[in-house]
Amino acid sequence: MRGAALVLAALVALAGCTEPPRGAAPATIVFKHAKILGPLDPIPGLLREFERRNPGVTVRSEPLTWTSDEQHQFYVINLDGATPAFDVLLLDLIWVPEFAQAGWLLDLSPWVTRGELAPHFPAAAAASVWNGRVWGLPWNMNVGVLYYRADLLAKYHLAPPRTWEELVEQAQRIRAGERDPKLDGVLWQGKQYEGLVVNVLEHFWASGTALLDEHDRVLPEPERAAAALGFMRGLLESGVSPAWVTAGDEELTRRPFGDGRAVFLRSWPYAMDLFEAAGSPVRGRVGIAPLPGHVAGAAGVGATGGFHLAVNRRTRHAEAAVALVRFLAGAEGQRAITAAGVALYPTRVDLYRDPAAVAAHPHMPRFHALALVARPRPVTPYYLMLSTTVQPEFSAALVGVKTPAQAVSYARRRLEYMLSGLR
Amino acid sequence: MTARERADRLAGLAFVSPALLALAALTVYPGLWVLWLSLQQRVPIFGIARFVGLEHYAFLAGDARFWNAGRVTLVFTAVSVGLELALGLAVALALQRQRAGRRLALSLLLLAWALPSVVTAKLFEWLYHPSAGLVNVILGGHAFNWLGDPRLALPGLIAADVWRTMPFVALLCYARLLTIAPEVYEAARVDGAGRGATLAYVTLPLLRPILLIALLFRTLDALRAFDLMFVLTGGGPASTTETLTVYAYRSLFQTLQLGFGAAVGCVIFALVMLVAWAYLRALRGEAATA
């Protein structure tokens, strides 16, 4: 019976038809998702449209709290308890391999062909695939970018920096010229949390190394990793970054830059909407550039973040649930998140050239090139273990409690112990 | 024992048994389950479930992060509870003398105590902001890096905890002070006791039992401190504010190493039970001498 359903579904998918079978029994599916922040929530409208197109299917949306840790905890407890209480879930892309490995997600491969992933940015699509199967579809995208004060750089005849070393030089020159003690050089996220790992990863990549290589070795080049951490520590020691960056998260660093009190900021696309909002002190004076590389390393590349849509393996309405996932991740579902007032960025490449989307967010084309080359964090089911293990070590290197070499060597030993219990 | 006594005892048992059963179902059973879990390597996402005996405890014995978390927990508990008791007592005594505005003062105290701790944490996040925060402005415009400096982060969290829970101690003490009969003070005055002597020989001895209870509650709470550090610093920088509960949470819910996380949880449990037992003994001694 189940086999027949899968064959039927595969045939439907092959035929390129995105609609579920007509005349299916009435079903109510539950969609669990993070609360959407910002003035406009696109979800209710999308669900009503989906219901209109799928007579007999009702969708109930149940928002979760917005902190990522609480969402993870909710999903883990309920999915491990094999609950059928929700069908479709919105999840942070770093959890996709973890949940897939645990057997909590419905394998979407029978419905979703690789071709259906093609319209999405490669980094976003990569995060949906684990062990050769498709476990989710990307819904929104974040990419690490460098914001700079275009007016200040122009005043000193500078082009956006291509290396971190160049950035340091520019920041020092501008601060010396401005003689404003309240103007900081570069802000980034250095608090002991996931954001710190993202920032360190970007410096690793820019130095030509990684946290986890393609052979699943952790910190394969400890010297390069230590050098990258040493550079970040140097930003604090030289005063190019203020000392409080070691406690800074996205909002704590976004605000001072938005108040005109920093030359550079490493952040995500959502910040641009706030910089360009009416009444913003930096409106019209902010530029977007790729993250810098390192002189002796590689070109800079931003890490990706974002949410994916997946189906609970215990769902009683697989057809309707998969249809909802495909609708939300499809062209229309994602167009809705490009409306003015929504601070989410889609994963479908063509929307970054879409006239209506660009009218609502004029800077969208600038993110296009950056998202195209962006890189996902290690796609592995033990990513969270990796991250929580290295967070205190990276933080210790930044605040000078350990040398970068000590921090890297301790992180390696600890990770090897942790992972040895799993492999 | 007479038949009457035996019947009374049985009836007593019958009356407490629903409560005992509920307690057993809600605490003893899960407690034993966690203990059993701590003897296993259990990582559901990898389908790993095998008995490893005391292996997790052996790892913890040599785990620098664990010992650091233990040290942070003890320092946080000792300093914050000590300050809360001292300040709470002082505030209660001040309230007792205060004539005007007592109602307002009580409401303000209650407000700090009634705020959800995550709200308190968010409040302090901005109070401690290095450039825009009120704390640094009051301190004369210094750019103290409260939450990002390994030497300041724990003191910063302790101050936030004291602000939040000192009112609890103050209100308990104040309530006890209200019940002390004025005659006791009159007698002390007649005997020629000054202010200091009255405090040392009359007020404090009468407050002793309530102070011990406040100490018990606050210590047990502080040993399990979680939300302030979780929201404000995430345990950082360099894990200088990572308590045992934060460590257990990260192992259990973030990395899903159920066995390992349960082992950390069992250590916290043992620590809390030890402290509770010591206090209860002291309280019982108190009751016997009173």
Side-chain angles (χ1 to χ4, degrees), chain A residues 69 72-73 76-77 80 98 101-102 104 191-192 243-244 246-247 249 252 255 261 381-382 384-385 388-389 392 395-396 399 401 410 414 417-418 421-422, chain B residues 41 43-46 48 50 59 63-65 125-126 129-131 145 147-148 150 230-239 247 249 253-257:
Chain A
D69 282 318
H72 184 253
Q73 187 177 335
V76 164
I77 291 172
D80 195 39
E98 179 190 358
Q101 169 82 37
W104 295 336
K191 178 180 169 177
Q192 184 175 323
W244 62 262
T246 55
D249 60 11
L252 280 175
R255 281 168 195 265
R261 287 163 64 167
Y382 44 77
L384 277 183
M385 197 181 298
T388 52
T389 306
S395 171
V399 297
V401 168
Y410 186 80
R414 204 180 156 84
Y417 172 81
M418 293 284 173
L422 304 178
Chain B
Q41 170 75 307
V43 190
I45 59 168
F46 294 97
I48 295 171
R50 59 168 189 268
F59 175 76
D63 177 12
R65 190 168 174 185
E125 186 169 26
W126 286 106
H129 192 279
S131 52
N145 181 15
L147 301 174
F230 193 70
V231 175
L232 274 179
T233 59
S239 286
Y247 188 38
Y249 176 83
F253 286 110
Q254 285 194 317
T255 68
L256 303 180
Q257 304 171 87

Side-chain angles (χ1 to χ4, degrees), chain B residues 1-289:
Chain B
M1 202 187 294
T2 66
R4 173 73 189 270
E5 273 172 352
R6 205 169 301 138
D8 275 355
R9 189 167 278 218
L10 275 176
L13 269 178
F15 281 126
V16 295
S17 60
L20 278 181
L21 279 177
L23 209 61
L26 291 175
T27 61
V28 178
Y29 169 68
L32 289 175
W33 175 249
V34 169
L35 191 65
W36 168 237
L37 203 56
S38 77
L39 303 177
Q40 303 173 54
Q41 170 75 307
R42 214 184 234 239
V43 190
I45 59 168
F46 294 97
I48 295 171
R50 59 168 189 268
F51 185 79
V52 293
L54 296 175
E55 204 177 278
H56 292 314
Y57 294 96
F59 175 76
L60 285 179
D63 177 12
R65 190 168 174 185
F66 169 74
W67 285 106
N68 172 66
R71 203 179 47 78
V72 170
T73 307
L74 292 181
V75 170
F76 177 83
T77 303
V79 179
S80 67
V81 172
L83 285 173
E84 279 153 27
L85 283 190
L87 285 173
L89 181 65
V91 168
L93 290 171
L95 271 177
Q96 191 191 19
R97 303 253 155 86
Q98 194 174 347
R99 292 281 162 261
R102 197 187 290 184
R103 211 172 262 269
L104 179 73
L106 280 174
S107 327
L108 286 177
L109 275 177
L110 264 177
L111 186 69
W113 169 243
L115 275 183
S117 45
V118 174
V119 176
T120 306
K122 280 283 162 201
L123 191 73
F124 272 88
E125 186 169 26
W126 286 106
L127 285 176
Y128 281 144
H129 192 279
S131 52
L134 193 59
V135 175
N136 279 349
V137 171
I138 289 173
L139 291 178
H142 288 285
F144 288 120
N145 181 15
W146 283 103
L147 301 174
D149 184 318
R151 287 158 304 174
L152 294 178
L154 190 57
L157 287 187
I158 288 173
D161 191 61
V162 170
W163 181 86
R164 181 177 59 142
T165 48
M166 176 274 285
F168 171 74
V169 180
L171 291 174
L172 271 185
C173 290
Y174 179 62
R176 176 70 184 102
L177 285 175
L178 288 182
T179 64
I180 298 178
E183 291 80 21
V184 179
Y185 288 113
E186 264 167 44
R189 205 165 351 159
V190 169
D191 288 344
R195 271 195 174 182
T198 311
L199 178 68
Y201 299 111
V202 179
T203 313
L204 280 184
L206 286 171
L207 279 177
R208 240 181 90 93
I210 206 83
L211 277 176
L212 266 176
I213 289 175
L215 186 68
L216 172 71
F217 273 112
R218 284 304 312 136
T219 309
L220 298 188
D221 263 354
L223 284 174
R224 294 173 295 143
F226 175 80
D227 25 31
L228 272 183
M229 28 292 272
F230 193 70
V231 175
L232 274 179
T233 59
S239 286
T240 48
T241 60
E242 184 170 79
T243 55
L244 284 172
T245 42
V246 173
Y247 188 38
Y249 176 83
R250 293 213 185 285
S251 314
L252 258 172
F253 286 110
Q254 285 194 317
T255 68
L256 303 180
Q257 304 171 87
L258 301 194
F260 180 74
V264 181
C266 284
V267 173
I268 300 171
F269 177 73
L271 188 67
V272 169
M273 285 314 283
L274 195 75
V275 172
W277 174 77
Y279 277 152
L280 286 179
R281 258 183 75 105
L283 270 177
R284 208 168 298 148
E286 194 75 15
T289 56

Side-chain angles (χ1 to χ4, degrees), chain A residues 245-256:
Chain A
V245 156
T246 55
D249 60 11
E250 279 88 354
E251 278 299 273
L252 280 175
T253 49
R254 194 268 303 163
R255 281 168 195 265

